[in-house]
Amino acid sequence: MVKGYAIGKAAIMSAAALEVAHYRIAPEEVAGECKRLKNALITARDELKVMASTLPDDAPRELGPLLTVHSLLLDDPMLSEQSCDLILERHYNAEWALTTQGQLLVEQFSMMEDEYLRERGADIRQVIERVLRVLSGSTALLPDLDAGDSNDPLIVVARDISPADMLRLRGARFAAFLTDLGGPTSHTAIVARSMNVPAIVGLGHIRMLVRDGDVLIVDGFTGVVLVNPSEQVLQEYRDRQTLYAEERAQLALLRDAPAVTLDGIHIRLEANIELPEEALAAMQAGADGIGLFRSEFLFMGRRDLPTEEEQYEAYSSVVKAMEGRPVTIRTLDLGADKTLDGDITVATNPALGLRAIRYCLANPEIFVTQLRALLRASLHGHVRILIPMISHMHEVHATRLAIERACSELEVAGIPYARNISLGAMVEIPAIAIAIEPFVETLDFLSIGTNDLIQYTLAIDRGDSEVADLYDPMHPAVLRLIAHTINAAERAGKPVAVCGEIAGDSRVTRMLLGLGLTEFSMHPQQLLDVKKEVRQAHSNALRVKVASALNRAERIDLASLSN
Ligand code: PEP
Ligand code: MG
């Protein structure tokens, strides 16, 4: 879901795959049918390549790589050769052969354990949709809705929206996107978020329930869509829209205001980013630094590994953009829900397997290359190295040895780098939160990754919707682990942050202040909401209330924490 309200007219996007004709062709037409299919694949691929190379300057930054991935899929023999085999052996028409082969590939993806790869089945579906449109000779994406009639913005209702379609839709006036397919990491959601347009994905059957031209209200906060609402309801949502816009404008005024509680405690508010370009959004939100740069996103969605030079450029660009503010770069956190493309070996339980620092220590060449890039980038500002998924002290020692190796390699090669870089660890595994003291002593800083800490404490897979209701950030056991970590760091005078999703949830800001937290790291868009809460809170009073509930291992009643 992408937050926000939208009111507009439904425009249903055609789904060629649903309307495809199935017929058998005569044996003498087989060769010609294969050629027709191959030509359509080439045309669709070339269109995507052209789009990728002629992107307008203001296109969302994800589009280029996504279009390239789609054009590569069209080159894949699994799609073209095997579809042609269906034409040759079963005499299917080109459209039928392509959708049959595509369905097979989508099913293979859907059985993968990895959520990211599972969702990549959507890419196959989208490229097939494109080829089908080439085969049918039709290029219209949306119905022509009496354009002269009103200025109502359009709400695109689609089975799924490919990145290439997104690009074609950009010229029109869009208020929101609704799709039947897709999940939180689907491209529609990612691109909609970066275009700042409300979106609800994975609705199931929205295309069956809505007709072209219906008036829709999209509530991107609750995931609700209202079809042809009454004038009274429309007015209610227009009022909500206005109020929300006013709130955002008010919040924007807080950008340069200090994040200080009513009792004078200074709170650091930093940003989580996944790609270097997002440093700009962090600066625009007034972030005190980058609390978490998930470096693995530089490694994902490609077939090769980024070189030291590429990584150095990426890290340096963030460091420079942040103009002296600290930039905390987490070393590669691959495994579980994040894997290198093509690397689909699934461990028995990937969340408990060779992920994050375990993966890096097992692949020293990859790790040391990244460390060299980090050490070099830190010449341009203040870099802090953050290690994910630490559970043992020997992993900290091994990391230090790897850093020493990276330093001496740079030394020998005469490449300049910064010495004495700070080293911190993510607190994501209950074991280290419980026995945190020696880690606090050894490391320069800590960052609590509540997303994983909750998953491992409660034995709830964070990506499994079947148990999502049990994923409970407010569980007293989770809060005790966070409190214990913060207290130990406070005693040792070492900085500690929370960089999991709860740090950006303004509904729990007071609770985190009550746990003694003074550093929060979150998506840049959430920063001002959290700052507003901080400025209205009385930190010491909250500490007393939260400590007494935690002593009794009681659930904390958030309402009791308001002033
Ligand atoms: C976390 O686990 O809380 C965290 C910030 O890391 P990620 O979400 O990338 O696993
Ligand atoms: Mg994590």
Side-chain angles (χ1 to χ4, degrees):
M1 244 156 28
V2 181
K3 279 187 188 172
Y5 298 108
I7 301 176
K9 264 190 184 173
I12 304 194
M13 207 167 103
S14 70
L18 298 182
E19 289 129 29
V20 74
H22 292 188
Y23 56 89
R24 284 184 207 273
I25 47 165
E28 62 275 19
E29 289 171 359
V30 157
E33 195 67 359
C34 268
K35 194 156 176 27
R36 188 166 83 87
L37 175 62
K38 288 200 169 160
N39 285 344
L41 286 164
I42 292 170
T43 307
R45 183 203 62 196
D46 291 348
E47 280 175 4
L48 288 168
K49 280 192 178 161
V50 171
M51 278 190 191
S53 61
T54 54
L55 280 176
D57 290 345
D58 60 342
R61 60 177 196 292
E62 294 88 352
L63 276 179
L66 297 182
L67 290 170
T68 307
V69 168
H70 280 196
S71 67
L72 287 173
L73 283 173
L74 288 173
D75 270 335
D76 195 330
M78 289 287 279
L79 199 57
S80 57
E81 298 305 329
Q82 313 235 2
S83 301
C84 272
D85 285 350
L86 288 171
I87 298 177
L88 294 172
E89 288 159 17
R90 299 195 204 167
H91 296 188
Y92 285 2
N93 65 324
E95 289 86 346
W96 187 7
L98 182 67
T99 44
T100 308
Q101 177 57 19
Q103 190 53 35
L104 198 78
L105 293 176
V106 169
E107 274 163 21
Q108 285 171 359
F109 271 91
S110 72
M111 280 166 5
M112 291 180 183
E113 288 217 4
D114 181 293
E115 189 195 350
Y116 180 81
L117 287 176
R118 244 188 347 254
E119 287 196 2
R120 299 292 72 81
D123 295 282
I124 308 264
R125 229 183 265 114
Q126 290 170 357
V127 295
I128 286 177
E129 186 73 25
R130 188 158 195 91
V131 182
L132 290 173
R133 275 196 230 125
V134 174
L135 283 168
S136 74
S138 97
T139 50
L141 277 183
L142 293 177
D144 190 13
L145 293 182
D146 47 344
D149 166 40
S150 74
N151 286 326
D152 284 346
L154 298 182
I155 293 181
V156 178
V157 181
R159 184 157 181 259
D160 200 0
I161 306 178
S162 72
D165 292 340
M166 273 293 185
L167 198 60
R168 286 184 57 198
L169 293 172
R170 277 163 40 82
R173 338 166 287 272
F174 287 110
F177 296 114
L178 303 175
T179 64
D180 283 340
L181 305 179
T185 65
S186 69
H187 295 142
T188 317
I190 296 170
V191 179
R193 207 169 284 134
S194 77
M195 287 167 86
N196 221 353
V197 173
I200 310 178
V201 299
L203 280 163
H205 299 101
I206 186 76
R207 285 176 80 255
M208 317 277 276
L209 303 172
V210 169
R211 283 162 311 172
D212 278 323
D214 278 350
V215 174
L216 301 183
I217 294 177
V218 176
D219 183 339
F221 294 94
T222 55
V224 168
V225 182
L226 301 169
V227 185
N228 292 328
S230 66
E231 185 48 41
Q232 202 181 358
V233 174
L234 272 172
Q235 194 48 50
E236 158 73 23
Y237 273 88
R238 283 191 201 110
D239 293 347
R240 285 193 198 185
Q241 249 182 334
T242 314
L243 200 67
Y244 181 59
E246 280 168 13
E247 277 171 18
R248 298 314 302 173
Q250 280 292 325
L251 268 185
L253 300 176
L254 285 183
R255 183 194 176 278
D256 297 315
V260 181
T261 61
L262 292 175
D263 50 339
I265 309 286
H266 283 261
I267 305 297
R268 286 187 68 79
L269 300 180
E270 301 191 322
N272 290 356
I273 61 169
E274 268 109 50
L275 292 167
E277 298 82 2
E278 289 162 359
L280 185 68
M283 285 298 272
Q284 280 165 351
D288 293 315
I290 300 295
L292 172 66
F293 177 2
R294 291 180 161 99
S295 70
E296 57 276 10
F297 281 78
L298 296 175
F299 292 67
M300 288 157 64
R302 53 188 289 164
R303 287 168 195 255
D304 54 353
L305 293 169
T307 61
E308 177 181 325
E309 222 42 48
E310 266 178 85
Q311 292 188 59
Y312 165 67
E313 288 299 329
Y315 305 143
S316 307
S317 72
V318 176
V319 175
K320 287 177 193 162
M322 294 310 294
E323 297 174 2
R325 294 169 183 79
V327 175
T328 312
I329 305 179
R330 182 172 73 184
T331 57
L332 199 50
D333 182 5
L334 284 176
D337 55 346
K338 294 176 283 197
T339 61
L340 287 172
D341 260 22
D343 182 2
I344 50 169
T345 34
V346 174
T348 318
N349 181 340
L352 305 181
L354 191 70
R355 62 171 291 200
I357 189 62
R358 304 168 184 181
Y359 178 92
C360 285
L361 293 174
N363 292 279
E365 292 311 319
I366 297 179
F367 194 31
V368 173
T369 303
Q370 178 170 43
L371 292 171
R372 286 167 53 119
L374 288 170
L375 290 162
R376 290 172 58 194
S378 69
L379 273 183
H380 301 289
H382 183 180
V383 173
R384 311 194 307 167
I385 296 180
L386 178 61
I387 339 168
M389 298 292 300
I390 285 282
S391 55
H392 290 274
M393 188 57 81
H394 59 74
E395 292 163 329
V396 176
H397 299 322
T399 300
R400 284 207 194 280
L401 285 177
I403 294 176
E404 274 169 32
R405 178 181 148 191
C407 288
S408 52
E409 285 178 5
L410 290 169
E411 201 81 52
V412 169
I415 300 170
Y417 67 96
R419 288 149 219 268
N420 302 328
I421 198 162
S422 319
L423 182 67
M426 298 277 293
V427 178
E428 299 178 280
I429 298 181
I432 111 152
I434 292 167
I436 193 70
E437 288 76 4
F439 293 91
V440 175
E441 288 303 316
T442 315
L443 291 157
D444 300 311
F445 67 98
L446 298 172
S447 190
I448 306 175
T450 44
N451 304 342
D452 278 314
L453 186 63
I454 296 164
Q455 132 161 303
Y456 293 127
T457 306
L458 302 180
I460 297 299
D461 184 335
R462 63 194 259 195
D464 185 346
S465 56
E466 306 240 34
V467 286
D469 58 321
L470 297 174
Y471 186 88
D472 179 11
M474 297 294 292
H475 194 294
V478 172
L479 299 187
R480 278 187 171 184
L481 293 175
I482 299 175
H484 184 63
T485 306
I486 294 174
N487 293 341
E490 199 174 48
R491 279 196 302 275
K494 297 276 174 81
V496 56
V498 168
C499 65
E501 290 303 301
I502 64 168
D505 182 348
S506 55
R507 293 167 305 178
V508 297
T509 303
R510 284 164 184 268
M511 195 267 308
L512 291 171
L513 290 169
L515 290 174
L517 189 70
T518 55
E519 279 186 40
F520 295 62
S521 191
M522 67 204 84
H523 297 296
Q525 309 90 287
Q526 298 169 316
L527 205 136
L528 295 179
D529 286 296
V530 171
K531 191 188 274 191
K532 184 174 165 208
E533 283 297 317
V534 165
R535 288 169 56 86
Q536 293 170 352
H538 198 288
S539 188
N540 283 317
L542 288 169
R543 288 195 82 161
V544 174
K545 284 187 191 172
V546 170
S548 96
L550 272 194
N551 278 341
R552 298 189 301 272
E554 277 174 1
R555 280 190 80 78
I556 293 174
D557 172 16
L558 289 178
S560 74
L561 301 183
S562 51
N563 286 346

